[in-house]
Each structure stands twice: as C-alpha cells, then as structure tokens.
C-alpha cells in the first residue's frame, strides 16, 4: 500500500554532514506521521526524530538534538534528515518510516558510516 525508499547514505569523516532523503510511493495520501530511526550493530532500533503531517518536528533523540534536522515536503511525498557534525557513534543503518491507517511501513534502510 505504501512503499518507502531511502537514499543519501554514505561514509564520511567525523564532523562531516550528510542529507538523507525518503521518497514515499503508493497510497501516499493515506500517510500521517513520518519518522527516521536508526539501528547500530548490536543495538536496538531507536527513534531519531519524527514529523507530523503538518510538518511539525517531534521527539528528537537527545543525542542528535542541535545536530540533525528533520523536514518534510508533502507535495513531493518526501521526508529528509539533515545530519551535521557527525560523530562515529552516529554510525548505523537509518530507516524511514510512515504511519498509515494504523499500519507502520518501513524502508530498506541506508547505511551511514562515520570514521574518526
């Protein structure tokens, strides 16, 4: 019903920046809130930030506040995550998610690797 595709991941040095994008397709008009999560090796998936349909950012993780910025373009069915001042501990697979009519959809994920 809804498909999500992340892009923009890569390998950067500490202090660098990346911009991740998530494109939604399918029944995009049914999507409510969207979010970015990440999962590092050996750790549970954690919420990075979420954003409402009305483009209000919510629930930034304490570890990324002031460094990451979530944004949304509903006309283009996209949600972005700007990652600045990256640290090695930010290394993880980053996943886009979307809520739609009580269901939760996930993208395949995009790898972010930050070297010291």
């Amino acid at each position: 019903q809804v498909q999500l595709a992340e892009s923009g991941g890569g390998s950067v040095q500490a202090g660098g920046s990346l911009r991740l994008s998530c494109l939604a397709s399918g029944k995009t008009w049914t999507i409510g809130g969207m979010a970015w999560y990440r999962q590092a090796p050996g750790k549970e998936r954690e919420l990075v930030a979420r954003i409402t349909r009305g483009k209000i950012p919510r629930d930034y993780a304490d570890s990324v506040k002031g460094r990451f910025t979530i944004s949304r373009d509903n006309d283009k069915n996209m949600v972005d995550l700007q990652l600045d001042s990256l640290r090695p501990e930010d290394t993880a697979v980053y996943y886009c998610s979307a809520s739609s009519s009580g269901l939760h959809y996930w993208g395949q994920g995009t790898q972010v690797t930050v070297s010291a």
Side-chain angles (χ1 to χ4, degrees):
Q1 188 176 132
V2 173
Q3 298 81 45
L4 304 171
E6 303 97 334
S7 62
S11 182
V12 299
Q13 297 182 32
S17 297
L18 286 172
R19 188 174 184 88
L20 309 183
S21 294
C22 173
L23 177 64
S25 59
K27 297 183 178 180
T28 57
W29 58 91
T30 67
I31 296 174
M34 299 186 73
W36 284 96
Y37 289 76
R38 67 184 182 185
Q39 187 167 25
K43 296 185 177 181
E44 295 184 355
R45 184 160 54 188
E46 66 172 343
L47 175 67
V48 176
R50 65 174 72 253
I51 189 166
T52 69
R53 185 175 179 85
K55 302 181 181 181
I56 307 300
R58 303 291 192 195
D59 302 324
Y60 281 104
D62 288 342
S63 61
V64 309
K65 287 180 180 177
R67 299 190 299 120
F68 293 4
T69 305
I70 191 169
S71 61
R72 182 171 181 171
D73 186 334
N74 292 346
D75 291 336
K76 296 182 178 179
N77 303 126
M78 292 179 61
V79 60
D80 290 352
L81 186 69
Q82 177 68 39
L83 297 76
D84 295 321
S85 302
L86 283 162
R87 305 165 181 169
E89 52 263 42
D90 295 319
T91 295
V93 178
Y94 285 70
Y95 296 92
C96 177
S97 71
S99 297
S100 174
S101 301
L103 299 178
H104 197 184
Y105 297 87
W106 297 92
Q108 287 287 96
T110 185
Q111 177 71 46
V112 171
T113 302
V114 185
S115 60

